[in-house]
Amino acid sequence: LISMQEGGIRVSAPAVDQRCEEIIRRSEIPDDVLQLTHSCHINDFACGTCEGCIKHYAVLRILGVNY
C-alpha cells in the first residue's frame, strides 16, 4: 500500500514477511475457489512446468487442496 502525505511517499507491505500459504489461509478463500486458480507465467492456462505453476501447485499441496 502506498500513501502520499505532504509530498512524501510512505510504503507499507504488511504481508512481506508472510509465506504464500499463510496469506491464503488468512484470506479464508474456499478450497473450491482455489482449485480454479493458476499462476502460469507463459499461458492463459496452467502449463504445469513454469516456475509460477510449480510454486502454485506446491502451495496448494501445503494447504491440502486437491487440484
Side-chain angles (χ1 to χ4, degrees):
L1 305 171
I2 299 176
S3 64
M4 295 177 61
Q5 184 177 356
E6 299 177 19
I9 295 178
R10 192 175 44 213
V11 177
S12 174
V16 72
D17 293 326
Q18 294 180 344
R19 298 184 51 81
C20 293
E21 56 272 13
E22 293 175 85
I23 296 168
I24 294 170
R25 281 190 186 114
R26 257 180 86 193
S27 71
E28 298 180 359
I29 298 171
D31 287 358
D32 58 337
V33 173
L34 288 173
Q35 291 170 341
L36 301 173
T37 63
H38 70 89
S39 297
C40 190
H41 294 182
I42 350 184
N43 289 313
D44 292 333
F45 54 89
C47 73
T49 59
C50 73
E51 195 173 305
C53 285
I54 292 168
K55 180 178 178 180
H56 182 72
Y57 292 136
V59 170
L60 291 180
R61 275 193 299 277
I62 290 168
L63 294 171
V65 176
N66 296 318
Y67 53 93

